[in-house]
Amino acid sequence: MKKYAFGVDIGGTSIKIGLMETNGDMVETWEIPTNREQSGSRILSDIAEALVNKMEENNIVYDDIEGVGFGVPGPVLSHGIVNGCANLGWGTVDIPAIMSRLTGIDKIRVANDANAAALGEMWKGGGQGNQNVVMVTLGTGVGGGVVLGGEIIPGTFGAAGEIGHMTYSAAETEQCGCGKRGCLEQYASATGIVRMAKRKLQRDERRTVLRGLPALSAKEVFDAAKENDMIALELTDDLGEALGIALSHVSCVIDPEVFVIGGGLSGAGNILLDSIKKHYEKHAFHASRNAVFELAKLGNQAGIYGAVYLLLN
Amino acid sequence: MKKYAFGVDIGGTSIKIGLMETNGDMVETWEIPTNREQSGSRILSDIAEALVNKMEENNIVYDDIEGVGFGVPGPVLSHGIVNGCANLGWGTVDIPAIMSRLTGIDKIRVANDANAAALGEMWKGGGQGNQNVVMVTLGTGVGGGVVLGGEIIPGTFGAAGEIGHMTYSAAETEQCGCGKRGCLEQYASATGIVRMAKRKLQRDERRTVLRGLPALSAKEVFDAAKENDMIALELTDDLGEALGIALSHVSCVIDPEVFVIGGGLSGAGNILLDSIKKHYEKHAFHASRNAVFELAKLGNQAGIYGAVYLLLN
């Protein structure tokens, strides 16, 4: 194994890059903007330039670079070929072929970004020491990544880990961004909890600090819950129930060892984790009740770590 | 690869054994009774005797036997050690060590019986030609097995594929055999559909051939549905909805290529399959909607096929 590797996490706004030692130590991280003009055709050459410059800056020669790992916001086929990334303007893009040509580095690995983050958290984050890890990212939506036996499960159609689109309530009338109705994401994301809070405030007459706030956010719901605001506590419990039931479904399918909870909402900490666990334990099959819940530890660097980990096996 | 292998599917009443060619041709199958006396301590020696006798009967020498694969009704740890089978009276049993000593055959592989059946259906049954297969067995209960990339996913605590114990209705008042309330199995098994039929007949005044039958069974519900009995059609649709939603959850986790539906209820054929598919397509994430539904093809020999397949990789 060579001494260094690059991890690249391509997002719709910025590209996060990490120079790591292959033993797992992060040397340096930085970001460059995502140029989405001309169907994102400059993105890979911008990255190649950034990598080559960083090598020169640090006097790192090609013989010291194990390879470059990528996390991308779209489905990845075999051999690292990306099958469309709407956020980047990409159609089918053969990252390994293009990057090898642009950088002279042969070993290129590519994974979906949610899966790369799950792999990163397994390696150096909340799932460290375990091989069967499910990562759940609670942000604007609900994302997920599945790692079994230390390897990403991509799914037949690239849709493994789409935990946010499990039907949670078949009776839902509003539509999810995916076109379905009643997806977990409509209840358990940042936008989901605000949606549920507004719905509850309309139907419930009780006093709550949430009423009359200029703009309601997930953070305000959790903060109010920590102050024992009854409406906020019920909203937190409802969110924990949605996630707890959904993750009990996950256990009935693949029975993971650890669930790592990340994304912006995970900043709420134990009040969220405890609520998820309470409902999970009620609904999980008995053998799976010992699964552990951990908060994500790598923040927005999880994808970089996972991208590098792709190169190590 | 040697010419022959044995597959052994151990059940609580009988043990199904197959002598196969390792190319996948079944030579012969037979059964012996399961002796559960003395904590099942005779079971493995009974099997060893049956295998050795069959080799002598067919003039097969040890050099022609690749190995013996097992499906067992309980969780299997690494190295083929069984971690308790209540049905057999077993505690922890090291099948590879014991069987190697009893038969002189070195290569012994062991899997949970539901997982072995899934593997068998992947190899030679409804999932043939695919590597990502979920098998659902609709019998007295609802069993499941998960095969990804051609390999069984056992789960951290041996509980992967426990699809029958996904919570389907958190509002259920009656208890499942597992101790929870509202498991899929309480709606989508042979006993589940009868339970739901009785519940419906009490609350619904409409005419139906199901009313007044001496003993109601799943088969009678499906037969009546095929004759357009409205109550029976609704019961079939309810069962399809429970399974369709549950399998859409499965797709959001691992996104399989094929669902193989087996067990006694699968004898209902297309009326059942069409109902499951209709609800699945409504609730599955768009990328997973192309998953295929097939009826199981190997009947009660699926476990034998899967047990042999364990030896081939």
Side-chain angles (χ1 to χ4, degrees):
Chain A
M1 186 70 60
K2 296 171 184 173
K3 188 171 182 191
Y4 296 104
F6 287 111
V8 182
D9 187 3
I10 308 180
T13 309
S14 72
I15 297 160
K16 298 180 192 75
I17 311 181
L19 171 64
M20 285 189 80
E21 295 194 23
T22 50
N23 66 8
D25 290 341
M26 187 68 79
V27 178
E28 187 183 347
T29 62
W30 74 101
E31 295 190 12
I32 62 173
T34 305
N35 184 346
R36 294 191 290 182
E37 289 170 21
Q38 297 170 0
S39 304
S41 61
R42 292 283 308 158
I43 291 174
L44 290 179
S45 52
D46 287 351
I47 294 169
E49 192 183 330
L51 301 184
V52 171
N53 286 345
K54 187 61 64 179
M55 288 169 66
E56 285 173 7
E57 187 185 316
N58 289 273
N59 292 314
I60 297 173
V61 296
Y62 280 95
D63 273 354
D64 283 339
I65 296 285
E66 180 66 25
V68 187
F70 285 85
V72 298
V76 179
L77 308 177
S78 56
H79 307 297
I81 295 170
V82 177
N83 190 21
C85 293
N87 278 352
L88 307 179
W90 284 5
T92 303
V93 176
D94 186 344
I95 295 187
I98 297 169
M99 284 305 292
S100 293
R101 183 167 50 76
L102 290 173
T103 62
I105 298 170
D106 286 335
K107 190 170 178 182
I108 309 288
R109 298 284 183 275
V110 188
N112 169 271
D113 54 2
N115 291 333
L119 202 57
E121 287 287 344
M122 179 206 77
W123 185 31
K124 291 287 177 184
Q128 196 168 359
N130 301 287
Q131 295 272 297
N132 299 333
V133 176
V134 170
M135 167 134 194
V136 183
T137 304
L138 306 174
T140 314
V142 174
V146 175
V147 174
L148 295 179
E151 290 186 19
I152 286 170
I153 302 297
T156 308
F157 309 102
E162 286 289 357
I163 292 167
H165 297 288
M166 287 178 148
T167 297
Y168 175 64
S169 170
E172 177 64 51
T173 52
E174 289 182 52
Q175 203 167 28
C176 177
C178 79
K180 294 202 301 157
R181 284 184 166 77
C183 292
L184 176 66
E185 179 164 300
Q186 292 182 277
Y187 307 86
S189 63
T191 46
I193 193 168
V194 169
R195 189 181 76 100
M196 296 313 287
K198 287 182 178 163
R199 196 180 264 188
K200 193 176 183 80
L201 290 177
Q202 273 185 357
R203 296 176 187 175
D204 196 312
E205 303 275 302
R206 285 174 294 168
R207 283 184 60 188
T208 164
V209 299
L210 300 178
R211 212 182 296 278
L213 285 177
L216 196 57
S217 73
K219 185 173 186 308
E220 284 159 325
V221 174
F222 293 128
D223 285 348
K226 287 173 189 170
E227 301 291 331
N228 290 315
D229 182 284
M230 191 52 69
I231 296 273
L233 281 169
E234 288 173 10
L235 286 165
T236 303
D237 193 61
D238 289 348
L239 181 133
E241 184 172 25
L243 280 165
I245 290 179
L247 299 185
S248 77
H249 295 335
V250 172
S251 282
C252 285
V253 183
I254 52 168
D255 186 26
E257 192 154 16
V258 185
F259 289 100
V260 178
I261 311 294
L265 260 60
S266 69
N270 284 336
I271 198 168
L272 174 66
L273 218 52
D274 290 347
S275 175
I276 297 172
K277 274 158 71 173
K278 180 182 89 178
H279 291 286
Y280 173 83
E281 282 164 16
K282 182 176 171 194
H283 291 285
F285 187 59
H286 51 77
S288 300
R289 265 171 223 153
N290 293 322
V292 173
F293 287 76
E294 298 281 356
L295 292 170
K297 289 183 179 159
L298 302 177
N300 65 15
Q301 294 190 356
I304 297 176
Y305 278 90
V308 167
Y309 189 80
L310 292 170
L311 300 161
L312 305 185
N313 291 64
Chain B
M1 186 69 61
K2 295 171 184 173
K3 188 170 182 191
Y4 297 104
F6 287 111
V8 182
D9 187 2
I10 308 180
T13 309
S14 72
I15 297 159
K16 297 180 193 73
I17 311 181
L19 171 64
M20 286 189 78
E21 296 195 21
T22 50
N23 66 8
D25 290 341
M26 187 68 78
V27 179
E28 187 183 347
T29 63
W30 73 103
E31 295 190 12
I32 62 173
T34 305
N35 184 347
R36 294 191 290 181
E37 290 171 21
Q38 297 172 0
S39 304
S41 62
R42 292 283 309 159
I43 291 174
L44 291 179
S45 52
D46 287 351
I47 293 169
E49 192 183 330
L51 301 185
V52 172
N53 286 346
K54 187 61 64 181
M55 287 169 66
E56 284 173 9
E57 186 185 316
N58 289 273
N59 292 316
I60 297 174
V61 297
Y62 280 95
D63 273 353
D64 282 340
I65 296 285
E66 181 66 25
V68 188
F70 286 86
V72 298
V76 179
L77 308 177
S78 57
H79 308 296
I81 295 170
V82 177
N83 189 20
C85 292
N87 278 352
L88 307 179
W90 284 4
T92 303
V93 176
D94 186 343
I95 294 187
I98 297 169
M99 284 304 292
S100 293
R101 183 167 51 74
L102 290 172
T103 62
I105 299 171
D106 286 336
K107 190 170 178 182
I108 310 288
R109 296 284 182 275
V110 188
N112 170 270
D113 55 2
N115 291 333
L119 203 56
E121 287 287 343
M122 179 207 77
W123 185 30
K124 291 288 176 184
Q128 197 167 1
N130 301 287
Q131 296 271 297
N132 299 334
V133 176
V134 170
M135 167 133 194
V136 184
T137 304
L138 306 174
T140 314
V142 174
V146 175
V147 174
L148 295 179
E151 290 186 20
I152 286 171
I153 302 297
T156 308
F157 310 103
E162 287 288 358
I163 292 167
H165 297 289
M166 287 178 147
T167 297
Y168 175 63
S169 170
E172 177 63 51
T173 53
E174 289 182 52
Q175 203 168 29
C176 177
C178 79
K180 294 202 300 158
R181 283 184 166 77
C183 291
L184 176 66
E185 179 164 299
Q186 292 182 275
Y187 307 87
S189 63
T191 45
I193 194 168
V194 169
R195 189 180 77 99
M196 296 314 287
K198 286 180 178 165
R199 197 180 265 188
K200 194 176 183 81
L201 290 178
Q202 273 184 357
R203 296 175 187 177
D204 197 313
E205 303 275 301
R206 285 173 293 168
R207 282 185 59 187
T208 164
V209 299
L210 300 178
R211 209 182 299 277
L213 284 177
L216 195 57
S217 73
K219 184 173 186 309
E220 283 159 326
V221 174
F222 293 128
D223 285 348
K226 288 173 189 170
E227 301 292 331
N228 290 315
D229 182 284
M230 192 52 68
I231 296 273
L233 281 169
E234 288 173 11
L235 286 165
T236 303
D237 193 61
D238 290 347
L239 180 132
E241 184 173 25
L243 280 165
I245 290 178
L247 299 185
S248 78
H249 295 336
V250 172
S251 283
C252 285
V253 183
I254 52 168
D255 187 25
E257 193 154 16
V258 185
F259 289 100
V260 178
I261 311 294
L265 260 61
S266 69
N270 284 336
I271 197 168
L272 174 66
L273 219 52
D274 290 347
S275 175
I276 298 172
K277 275 157 71 172
K278 181 182 89 177
H279 291 285
Y280 173 83
E281 282 164 15
K282 181 176 172 195
H283 291 285
F285 187 59
H286 51 77
S288 300
R289 266 171 222 154
N290 293 322
V292 173
F293 287 75
E294 298 280 356
L295 292 170
K297 288 183 180 160
L298 302 177
N300 64 14
Q301 295 191 354
I304 298 176
Y305 278 90
V308 168
Y309 188 80
L310 292 170
L311 301 160
L312 305 185
N313 291 64

